Amino acid sequence: MGNWESQVSSVPAQQLGDFVQNSLRPYEECQRQISHLVDVICSTLKEPQEFPIVRGVVRGGSYGRKTVLRGRSDGTLVLFLDHFQQFRDQKESHQDMLRILGHRLMMRLVAQGYTDKWEVLTTQDGLVIKVSTRWQSVVFEVLPAFNALGFGESPSPWVYRDLRRALDETKARPGAFAACFTELQEKFFSKYPRKLKDLILLMKYWRQQCQKNCVGSSVPPVYALELLTVYAWEQGCGAQDFDMAQGVRTVLQLVRQPEKLCIYWTVNYNFEEETIRNTLLHLLGSPGPIILDPADPTNNVSGGLSCWQLLKEKAHAWLAAPSLNSELGSWNVLPKPLFMTPGHHLDKFIKDFLQPNEHFLSQVQQAIDLICKFLRENCFRNSTTKIQKIIKGGSLAKGTALKNSSDADLVVFPDSLKSYTSQKTERAQVLREIKEQLQAYQKEQQLEVIFEVSKWKNPRVLSFSLKSRKHCEYIHVDVLPAFNALGQLNSGSTPDPKVYTELIRLCKSPDDVLGGEFSTCFTELQRNFVVSRPTKLKDLIRLVKHWYQQCKRKLKSRGSLPPKYALELLTVYAWEQGSGAEDFDTAEGFRTVLDLVSQYQQLCVFWTVNYSLDEDTMRTFLLAQIQKTRPVILDPAEPTGDVGGGDRWCWHLLAKEAKEWFSSPCFKNGAGYPVQPWKVPVRVF
């Protein structure tokens, strides 16, 4: 590996990708040769005449996960044996059988003309097959196993129930039967992009160097570091292409706090079945580090806290190294998920992990103020169009922004948009003019944040991001042109009913106008509805939004979830009806919101703070709205906007998640007793 052999921490941040490509990935020709030999070995082991007891062979370890490092690496060959009928069959000694299998395999390979580049070795622990080329070797441990999964695509709960029973009956250590689930481990890693596996190679090589330079010191298992890297990428990035240095910094920051690590996946098992739920809650509630095998819910692969001490020290050193360029920042990844946070710690969870950096918020506010000033004074200086006002909306304006996942709306009211209809037909032209001027402004602006205009084309909105140069945080900003339907609204006053009369008429017309299409006109009212609420309620909204994001990440391939705004309004409703106090128990509030989500088929929620039943047109319209398919959650600023949406969105998926969360430690108090939800009606009338 040339000059890189001594210190990976000396590799400049911008060269990390090239370093992996040039020094860590196996040579393609070596991979091809080894793959051919492994194919021959596996097909030979499956020959019924010579090996009648072998029903199947699965490749695991780094080789099966496709995370092989250049030089020397590991693998497993799991043999599913015909006479293994249950987990406990694996507990018996199979030394003699493996010795016979190894001898027969060696004889068959020689008979087929394969006389070199492989070795079959019988060790004290079992059987090992070493496959080598000039520049690469992979040492495969041969493991006999019970075919617990059969030939199904995914495991059924009874498989894990039997696993739990077998561990108890045989008094085996957790993870003793992990080989049975090697195929699931391989499938788990197969869906991840090549660049993530390059990041895994980088972290594995760093671990290897740490161990080599500190002989006698223990380090976590390779598999634990691989899973930690996957977790960091999933939670913090998720993109096919990403900055390698940011990925490294994120993993190192997690390595620095092993006692807080509590990591698991529910791709093969979940909290629905009682035995599995109890096993998971017991394990996840234990002292960290916890890194559960995504294929085996009994197997904490972290290796224990003591083996992380060396990597913890080395991680601190690499993070401080000039080569890693701390200004690039890192992804926002929590070492412990919300699900495992006890109810009496939720306020601290919000403060530590969800509230944005105050300095960054200050930077963004200054940047947005400058952009607003530009839009007012310079954007349309070469045309007759004038900006009547600009309203700041979104989570930033409401005070509910999440760290590294926040949004701000700048609703621009040009005098050229004189009606709802003109907003629909003329906003594209307004956006083109704003985009052209903002891109010119970007070249000359002097802001403390990086200003990046999005390249996506959208006729309704112009989007860009404000990113911190020092903190790995960003705010999404949408510029939206709108008709000034409200005019100059005085503080605390309500809109003229005529504003809504015209809007209702449009929604009833045959002009294909959707309910809520002109909600941007009422951004000021949406903002005011939340901004006046107590600080603790805004923190509860942050918590619910974080929960929603986790659900969205998990469920995105199964259907469209309701909009985030619906959950925000539901949180406000839960607090209004159930508490109303400035100080309240966060766990109770969170439990109440999830309880309402689980009852989505009965929800009918609306407010009359900006419109009411007094005016005939509005009364008739509202009565029709609240008769629609549940859930109904009307925008308090705009009655045509039903963000509940009936069966338009997959509320059933969110409700299923909410019910699973009822068993979370979030809903246990400091004494371990269940937290009760507030008494909140599912309908407002």
Side-chain angles (χ1 to χ4, degrees), residues 125-249:
D125 297 325
L127 185 65
V128 169
I129 301 174
K130 183 178 180 181
V131 180
S132 305
T133 68
R134 182 180 178 185
W135 304 108
Q136 186 73 43
S137 68
V138 180
V139 178
F140 291 91
E141 184 180 4
V142 180
L143 302 171
F146 161 52
N147 187 11
L149 301 175
F151 301 99
E153 287 293 319
S154 57
S156 60
W158 67 263
V159 171
Y160 292 122
R161 287 200 299 270
D162 285 354
L163 171 64
R164 179 71 267 171
R165 189 181 306 114
L167 288 170
D168 293 339
E169 291 175 355
T170 62
K171 294 181 170 51
R173 60 174 177 78
F177 304 115
C180 301
F181 306 100
T182 300
E183 196 168 3
L184 292 181
Q185 295 173 350
E186 182 184 356
K187 188 183 295 184
F188 177 81
F189 276 82
S190 67
K191 64 180 181 288
Y192 294 113
R194 178 66 259 176
K195 193 164 186 179
L196 173 57
K197 292 176 183 175
D198 284 347
L199 178 58
I200 289 173
L201 293 184
L202 197 58
M203 302 316 300
K204 286 173 67 173
Y205 180 64
W206 170 70
R207 171 193 176 276
Q208 188 181 92
Q209 285 204 316
C210 292
Q211 191 172 34
K212 184 186 298 184
N213 295 334
C214 299
V215 179
S217 298
S218 62
V219 292
V222 168
Y223 189 36
L225 196 59
E226 290 186 341
L227 289 174
L228 186 63
T229 307
V230 169
Y231 171 79
W233 175 83
E234 277 188 336
Q235 296 292 315
C237 177
Q240 295 267 335
D241 190 22
F242 55 87
D243 186 282
M244 191 69 77
Q246 285 190 348
V248 170
R249 289 186 62 81

